[in-house]
Amino acid sequence: MKSFEKTVNIITAKSVAQLHPYTPGKPEKELKRELGIDEVYKLASNENPHGPSTQVKDAITRALDQLHRYPDGAGFDLRQAISQRFFVQSEQITLGNGSSDILEFVVRAFVNPGESVVVSQHAFAIYELATQQIGGEIIKVPALNFGHDLLRMAQAVQQNTKVVFIANPNNPTSTWCNETELRQFLSSVPEHVIVVLDEAYGEYMEHLDQAVGGWPNSVQLLEEFPNLVVTRTFSKVYGLAALRVGFGLSHPLVADRLNRVRPPFNVNLLGQVAAVAALRDLSHLESLVATNHQGLAQLAEGFKQLDIAFLPSKVNFITFFVGERDARSIYHSLLQRGVIVRPLANYDLPNALRVSVGTERENQIFIDGFREVMDVLSDQ
């Protein structure tokens, strides 16, 4: 066995040997097994705690008798629904098994080994992982007030830079760039550099009762900047994380390249029909955004009462800071109480944790549990 271990080490691609796999939020069942507890509250993965609408569930039920068939590899119905919602041509759409699929397609389609990709400090970890997988070079630009410093990111672009990733809003810091900032950035970047605008949480910004001022119209930007790719997901506000559906919008020539590396049947049948139904149920979407906004206020008030610093947020999570206290220890103390949050040391935020917005009851259980943990620490 040791000889085979040596063999595997030798034959593994260098870029893969250096990878550290992405670590998702701790699963509920795993914590239940470890601690032997019945009730667990998962507030670690920015999921929608209310789930999809009845219309979406009905669409899934109607499709169950087709499980023995392959899905439509081109995703015609879903592409049509996206086209109608976002006022783009079907040829501009690339479907993904979650929007992370599209992020990887961009790197595979445009970045050669040794070429560079520009990202921001504190940005979504998948950008770096996707680049490392193909032997690309990461240029990480220090954050500005926990967000993207677009001026320095533009200055960081090198002759061999092929892609820039911008998370808007950013996970895990909830910071965002306005249209003026983005337009200036796009105008300064060479046409040969693909700019990916990751809008996984975009619906939370544009569907508030009073839409966020300055929030960019990314579809209009697409018309002006052919090197722009916009990504969206159905895993967050639409509540379809288990089905893994996302999409990218881009110039038809860029979409053509992305679709060349897209695996066949990468979006399953149930995911496609659920996503179509979700796009049509606008009232449910707006209701979820409003409920999420209330949850944000509940969590923010809890942090204020505990005198805990946190980053302002309009999305479905809040990053908060525990000062000189051990964030990892607090994370484990919350696990003992059945509450799963997300430590952020791997995002260069060692004294921070991220909590997703849950139901009103889940939010309160987190606040109460966190207060208990902080009281214990104060007594030590």
Side-chain angles (χ1 to χ4, degrees):
M1 291 298 291
K2 286 187 176 180
S3 63
F4 183 66
E5 179 180 345
K6 183 177 180 180
T7 299
V8 172
N9 289 336
I10 293 172
I11 65 175
T12 301
K14 291 181 180 179
S15 58
V16 174
Q18 298 171 358
L19 284 179
H20 296 285
Y22 177 78
T23 304
K26 194 177 189 71
E28 296 173 67
K29 290 183 179 180
E30 182 178 326
L31 185 60
K32 288 180 179 180
R33 289 195 302 268
E34 289 179 355
L35 300 183
I37 56 180
D38 294 325
E39 283 204 81
V40 169
Y41 310 95
K42 187 184 178 189
L43 301 174
S45 300
N46 302 344
E47 297 155 329
N48 170 358
H50 305 284
S53 70
T54 300
Q55 292 184 30
V56 172
K57 294 177 182 178
D58 289 344
I60 292 173
T61 300
R62 291 193 297 270
L64 290 178
D65 62 356
Q66 295 297 312
L67 294 184
H68 59 299
R69 303 293 186 190
Y70 284 107
D72 176 4
F76 178 83
D77 290 341
L78 178 53
R79 284 157 63 107
Q80 287 295 109
I82 294 170
S83 175
Q84 292 169 9
R85 166 64 70 84
F86 291 91
F87 305 103
V88 296
Q89 300 301 311
S90 181
E91 293 76 15
Q92 295 179 258
I93 300 168
T94 305
L95 299 181
N97 186 242
S99 60
S100 59
D101 232 9
I102 311 300
L103 306 178
E104 294 194 22
F105 295 166
V106 170
V107 174
R108 288 168 54 195
F110 295 106
V111 183
N112 294 301
E115 294 178 332
S116 64
V117 171
V118 175
V119 303
S120 173
Q121 181 189 23
H122 310 318
F124 188 34
I126 293 297
Y127 308 152
E128 193 165 349
L129 284 174
T131 303
Q132 291 174 332
Q133 285 174 8
I134 57 88
E137 174 196 356
I138 280 288
I139 299 174
K140 186 177 292 187
V141 177
L144 177 64
N145 299 323
F146 298 102
H148 291 51
D149 187 340
L150 293 185
L151 177 59
R152 291 188 64 180
M153 290 179 72
Q155 294 170 344
V157 170
Q158 306 294 312
Q159 189 172 357
N160 74 343
T161 299
K162 301 296 286 293
V163 174
V164 177
F165 283 106
I166 299 173
N168 203 41
N170 183 53
N171 171 29
T173 61
S174 63
T175 52
W176 59 281
C177 309
N178 64 39
E179 182 157 346
T180 300
E181 294 168 332
L182 279 172
R183 190 179 297 279
Q184 291 173 346
F185 175 82
L186 290 165
S187 298
S188 67
V189 171
E191 192 177 57
H192 74 269
V193 176
I194 298 295
V195 178
V196 180
L197 190 61
D198 180 355
E199 295 187 335
Y201 301 90
E203 287 85 0
Y204 290 107
M205 305 291 284
E206 62 193 8
H207 287 279
L208 287 172
D209 290 338
Q210 293 181 336
V212 177
W215 175 248
N217 184 333
S218 53
V219 173
Q220 185 176 10
L221 291 174
L222 273 175
E223 297 174 359
E224 300 177 41
F225 300 97
N227 57 331
L228 178 63
V229 177
V230 178
T231 63
R232 290 282 179 115
T233 183
F234 288 89
S235 296
K236 303 304 178 186
V237 69
Y238 291 105
L240 297 178
L243 294 180
R244 306 297 296 126
V245 189
F247 61 93
L249 307 177
S250 60
H251 187 282
L253 290 176
V254 174
D256 170 72
R257 295 337 187 248
L258 299 181
N259 281 309
R260 292 185 190 190
V261 298
R262 182 176 68 90
F265 312 117
N266 66 321
V267 181
N268 67 74
L269 170 67
L270 299 185
Q272 290 188 36
V273 299
V276 170
L279 283 173
R280 291 173 176 167
D281 195 350
L282 189 59
S283 62
H284 184 67
L285 169 64
E286 292 175 343
S287 173
L288 288 172
V289 172
T291 301
N292 180 78
H293 199 56
Q294 294 169 2
L296 282 174
Q298 181 184 7
L299 291 173
E301 181 59 29
F303 289 132
K304 290 175 183 176
Q305 290 180 5
L306 292 169
D307 197 25
I308 293 293
F310 61 94
L311 295 178
S313 176
K314 296 183 183 299
V315 289
N316 67 336
F317 59 84
I318 292 181
T319 286
F320 60 100
F321 300 91
V322 295
E324 299 300 319
R325 305 174 187 90
D326 184 352
R328 195 77 191 178
S329 175
I330 292 173
Y331 163 72
H332 285 292
S333 295
L334 286 170
L335 288 182
Q336 296 296 320
R337 292 162 171 78
V339 178
I340 309 174
V341 296
R342 188 67 180 265
L344 298 177
N346 61 327
Y347 283 93
D348 292 332
L349 295 166
N351 67 333
L353 297 161
R354 188 192 69 197
V355 60
S356 306
V357 176
T359 64
E360 182 178 0
R361 176 173 176 267
E362 289 170 338
N363 295 337
Q364 193 59 51
I365 287 172
F366 159 73
I367 293 169
D368 293 342
F370 183 52
R371 181 182 290 108
E372 289 177 7
V373 172
M374 298 303 285
D375 288 343
V376 169
L377 290 174
S378 297
D379 292 338
Q380 291 178 349

